[in-house]
Amino acid sequence: MPLRQVLSQPDIQLSYLEWQQGQVPLLLLHGLADNALVWSSLGDYLAADYHIIAPDMRGHGESSKPDQDYSFDSAIADLEALMDHLGWTSAHVVSHSWTGKLAAIWARKSPERLRSMVLVDPIFIWKMPSFFKFTFPFLYRVLPFLKGMGPFASYEEAEQQIRQLSQYQGWTTLQQQVFQAGIEQKADGSWGSKFTLAARDQIFEEVMQVPGLTTFLDTPTLFIQPEKGVNRQDWQLQPYKTYLKNLHLCQVPGNHWPFLSNPEAFNRTVSAFLAEEYR
């Protein structure tokens, strides 16, 4: 079982889970509106061989939730401060969705920090046209990872609504734990996500406006393509095939959250990539 730890910085507190049985540095980065507990199964599976850190990204979970500053640069600075605190010069990085783009940007800016990347169904690798911003209110209502933000009149209503979302189909013990870790009762008595509106708005705009892959990268990379994920067409994969010179593609069962919907197959896939070539 991981331990909950906190790194206190002058401007932010980063809460993170730590599995410390192994030695090889491994950083697990959750997607938008999620929290570190999404990696519980993978962390337990790999714990014997890896020193694993899974942070709640700023604006999420138990970490600080500032009103401003949700840029990729700030998130990367958080992660580098965490690595420095741990004495890590580099690490393997597993990233999902929004942080898949973050990992690509990080590898571009500081390639020495990433021993390898696992990109789990990353989103919006391109810079989007400015007019796309007008669709944000619609996307906030329909994207599965944002529909669970609330507000909900009661915990029971929140759970009923959440169980209809793709990432919680099956309602396993792991999914229940992830849901419970990400929700809280607000001052007015309603229930909603710990993920804040300020974080949602600023991260989403940053994802739309900042290009991801713009130069060739040699970082060993595994692209995990869930069968029911968001990357199903070749044109979506083309930027990764073009810019990532050491790219491996692998399909796994499940939806955009294969570590929640089919964790056994997902865990085996990540483990094989890390252990076979890049440990």
Side-chain angles (χ1 to χ4, degrees):
M1 295 293 292
L3 295 176
R4 174 69 69 173
Q5 311 275 24
V6 177
L7 172 65
S8 295
Q9 294 286 94
D11 61 335
I12 195 171
Q13 286 194 324
L14 280 181
S15 180
Y16 60 95
L17 299 178
E18 181 175 24
W19 292 258
Q20 203 173 354
Q21 296 96 306
Q23 299 296 319
V24 181
L26 175 60
L27 194 58
L28 309 179
L29 308 180
H30 65 76
L32 201 65
D34 280 333
N35 60 77
L37 273 177
V38 299
W39 301 118
S40 294
S41 179
L42 180 65
D44 290 346
Y45 189 84
L46 297 176
D49 295 319
Y50 297 88
H51 183 180
I52 304 170
I53 298 295
D56 288 336
M57 304 295 286
R58 62 167 58 204
H60 296 75
E62 303 304 316
S63 290
S64 297
K65 300 169 179 66
D67 292 331
Q68 301 292 330
D69 201 5
Y70 287 95
S71 66
F72 282 118
D73 286 343
S74 293
I76 290 169
D78 291 343
L79 298 173
E80 294 191 347
L82 183 53
M83 290 176 65
D84 292 344
H85 170 72
L86 295 163
W88 294 0
T89 57
S90 63
H92 299 283
V93 175
V94 177
S95 55
H96 173 239
S97 197
W98 150 65
T99 60
K101 185 170 187 174
L102 183 152
I105 293 171
W106 192 10
R108 190 182 77 210
K109 292 177 176 291
S110 304
E112 73 283 358
R113 286 287 198 172
L114 285 79
R115 300 187 187 186
S116 71
M117 295 188 292
V118 177
L119 308 180
V120 185
D121 212 19
I123 61 170
F124 301 120
I125 196 64
W126 315 273
K127 177 180 179 179
M128 306 300 289
S130 57
F131 68 79
F132 195 74
K133 185 175 181 179
F134 293 107
T135 68
F136 284 10
F138 171 75
L139 291 173
Y140 292 157
R141 293 194 301 271
V142 301
L143 289 173
F145 47 87
L146 297 178
K147 289 173 69 176
M149 291 190 67
F152 305 101
S154 66
Y155 176 88
E156 291 73 21
E157 179 187 330
E159 181 178 309
Q160 182 180 22
Q161 295 292 326
I162 290 294
R163 291 179 65 167
Q164 308 306 312
L165 301 180
S166 300
Q167 60 267 49
Y168 295 108
Q169 293 299 305
W171 201 236
T172 64
T173 299
L174 172 58
Q175 291 168 333
Q176 293 176 52
Q177 292 171 343
V178 170
F179 162 66
Q180 290 166 355
I183 197 169
E184 64 184 359
Q185 190 169 27
K186 307 297 184 179
D188 63 0
S190 67
W191 288 78
S193 175
K194 293 178 182 177
F195 181 53
T196 65
L197 292 177
R200 180 199 70 181
D201 294 349
Q202 293 176 52
I203 291 174
F204 209 78
E205 182 161 2
E206 185 82 349
V207 169
M208 294 294 101
Q209 296 304 312
V210 178
L213 293 170
T214 58
T215 59
F216 297 114
L217 295 175
D218 293 323
T219 307
T221 303
L222 173 65
F223 188 108
I224 294 184
Q225 183 186 27
E227 292 174 353
K228 297 180 180 179
V230 298
N231 292 283
R232 304 188 196 184
Q233 307 299 324
D234 189 66
W235 62 266
Q236 294 173 295
L237 301 176
Q238 196 57 52
Y240 304 95
K241 293 179 178 179
T242 299
Y243 288 107
L244 298 174
K245 309 312 291 182
N246 197 352
L247 175 66
H248 304 256
L249 288 166
C250 183
Q251 282 196 344
V252 297
N255 55 32
H256 185 57
W257 295 264
F259 41 83
L260 293 180
S261 58
N262 291 84
E264 293 82 7
F266 176 81
N267 294 347
R268 290 194 299 269
T269 299
V270 174
S271 177
F273 171 76
L274 293 175
E276 184 175 342
E277 300 184 55
Y278 303 112
R279 186 185 301 173

